[in-house]
Amino acid sequence: MVLSYLKKISDVFYLGGQYELDDTRIVRIQTGGNLDTNAVPGKNSGVSSALGVAADWDTRDNILYPMHGRYYRVSFMPFLGSFGSHYKFTRLNFDLRQYFPVWGSHVLAYQIYVNLITGEPPFYRMSAFDGPNLMRGYPRRRFRDRDMVAFQAEYRMPLFWRIGVAGFAGAGQVAHRIGDVTIGDMKYSV
């Protein structure tokens, strides 16, 4: 669960707080698997809870189907025992998007996404490719580690009536440290 309250500071800038709560229960562990044989943080279930800050810069013309503009979100979330978290870690997140009108209703969009985690997060709260939203085509949370960087671009165009088509391409990587990310180890999606 994520709750955000951001106050409008100017026409395009929003600043506020964010609360996250995750109560994960591991109900079955595969015999001989990673959780059974290794000391993995989170293998015994637990609560992750954080109270942090978030800022948005939003110049999009429409939040549901933007044709032009920018959307930048930065958030800092400390997961601490004082917030009820069983795990102590921090997450710094950058989500940068831009939309360009190309011709008529054709739109080129791109996103740069960076997630940085320090401390000892449970394995299920690590950075990961996330199904239909980030690095489409990979199974949800198939690749995970502390830090992640991803870039994706999309070209959208109408076909007829309210039907359209989109082509996309992305490149991303998860690593223990952001400094370990290399071009040669990138995963790609098209």
Side-chain angles (χ1 to χ4, degrees):
M1 168 180 68
V2 178
L3 300 173
S4 297
Y5 177 78
L6 280 73
K7 180 156 178 56
K8 189 174 189 177
I9 305 299
S10 73
D11 284 344
V12 297
F13 183 63
Y14 301 80
L15 181 65
Q18 185 167 290
Y19 175 71
E20 279 190 41
L21 176 65
D22 178 75
D23 186 0
T24 296
R25 304 286 175 199
I26 307 295
V27 294
R28 185 178 48 144
I29 294 176
Q30 180 181 351
T31 305
N34 281 335
L35 293 182
D36 185 37
T37 58
N38 297 314
V40 177
K43 79 181 244 178
N44 296 321
S45 304
V47 173
S48 302
S49 178
L51 182 62
V53 296
D56 286 359
W57 181 272
D58 192 351
T59 64
R60 294 174 295 179
D61 59 333
N62 184 307
I63 63 171
L64 298 177
Y65 193 84
M67 301 283 288
H68 63 83
R70 296 177 178 149
Y71 174 75
Y72 302 153
R73 172 168 270 204
V74 177
S75 65
F76 175 75
M77 301 298 294
F79 292 81
L80 303 170
S82 56
F83 301 139
S85 186
H86 295 155
Y87 304 97
K88 185 177 178 183
F89 64 101
T90 59
R91 185 182 67 229
L92 179 60
N93 181 264
F94 301 90
D95 186 355
L96 313 172
R97 305 173 191 200
Q98 191 160 357
Y99 305 88
F100 302 94
V102 177
W103 171 72
S105 295
H106 294 232
V107 177
L108 176 64
Y110 78 82
Q111 177 185 25
I112 298 170
Y113 187 88
V114 178
N115 204 47
L116 308 171
I117 296 178
T118 61
E120 287 297 321
F123 74 92
Y124 48 83
R125 295 298 303 209
M126 289 184 161
S127 301
F129 297 164
D130 200 16
N133 300 318
L134 197 57
M135 295 299 294
R136 290 175 270 189
Y138 285 99
R140 185 176 167 96
R141 304 205 172 268
R142 167 65 177 89
F143 297 101
R144 69 176 80 216
D145 211 325
R146 288 179 187 274
D147 295 343
M148 176 176 62
V149 61
F151 173 83
Q152 38 189 34
E154 177 177 276
Y155 188 86
R156 299 188 315 235
M157 61 184 238
L159 288 178
F160 60 91
W161 189 53
R162 294 183 179 180
I163 308 296
V165 66
F168 64 89
Q173 180 63 23
V174 295
H176 192 69
R177 293 177 316 125
I178 196 72
D180 295 337
V181 171
T182 63
I183 300 257
D185 290 331
M186 288 282 182
K187 308 287 187 276
Y188 299 95
S189 66
V190 179

